[in-house]
Amino acid sequence: MAMPAFAQSALPDLQGRAVTVVTENAYPPLQFVDPNSGQAIGWEYDAMNEIAKRLNFKLTYANASWDAMIGAVSAGQYDIGMTGITIRDDRKAQVDFSDPYMRSESFMLVRADETRFGDAAAFKAFDKGLVGAQAGTTQFYTAVYSVLDGNEQTPRIKLFETFGAQVQALKTGDVDVVLTDGTAGKGYVDASSGALKLVGGPLGAEDFGFILPKGSDLVAPVNAAIAALKADGTFDALTKKWFLGYKMGQ
């Protein structure tokens, strides 16, 4: 029995193949630019570096905005996209997804002195409240259908190009809430020097996956690596490092 088990555990060898991975660097602690060193770091970088090591491919990283990323990967401009991308059926029409590497839940990120509402129902009733969002993201649809009234044209959602711009608008009072997965939200709260907080309960669970061009021959090797990294505790160790151990801006 030992021989088949060993054979199944052996990962593909991509023999130094060049692979370009695109990300947004806007979701701490998944991927972001360290304010001290200026280096792009995070959970996804560590995970992808380890995947590249296990599969023996040569990594190059690129940067793109969220609204351009799925189209760019779909067109084959990049081999893999990573930026906390929720696995959704409508996106599967454009790109292939890896197996999930993380499960996320959405929360409401607000200013620390916010007292007008404390959960989704109270925010919906607060009819002057504005949500910051990026068009086409899971958080946009969660805001429309789980927080507001189901109208995708609602004037209560203000659109931004990047997640970082949403957070800045929240801090300056241009919007009143930003939806974020709990892990990234904790990163922003920790980095805010007491200016931000998370309120309310989770607004639904989402699975994150890497995106690849349709039919990419990298899907199976990447999935094999994800399974191995889950099984040997590597992903758990990265989660402890980035979500419990790392402190933004320190």
Side-chain angles (χ1 to χ4, degrees), residues 192-222:
S192 73
S193 300
L196 301 173
K197 65 182 178 182
L198 295 172
V199 298
L203 298 170
E206 308 286 347
D207 287 322
F208 289 164
F210 303 119
I211 59 171
L212 304 93
K214 295 288 287 184
S216 171
D217 63 351
L218 288 172
V219 174
V222 168

Side-chain angles (χ1 to χ4, degrees), residues 3 8 42 57 89 113 142 149 151 184 208 210 227:
M3 289 297 289
Q8 289 173 3
F57 63 76
D89 287 341
D113 60 359
T142 300
D149 59 5
N151 173 19
F208 289 164
F210 303 119

Side-chain angles (χ1 to χ4, degrees), residues 156-177:
R156 292 188 61 185
I157 294 182
K158 191 170 182 178
L159 297 178
F160 294 88
E161 290 291 319
T162 68
F163 186 76
Q166 295 173 52
V167 175
Q168 189 57 38
L170 175 64
K171 288 180 177 178
T172 59
D174 291 333
V175 298
D176 302 295
V177 65

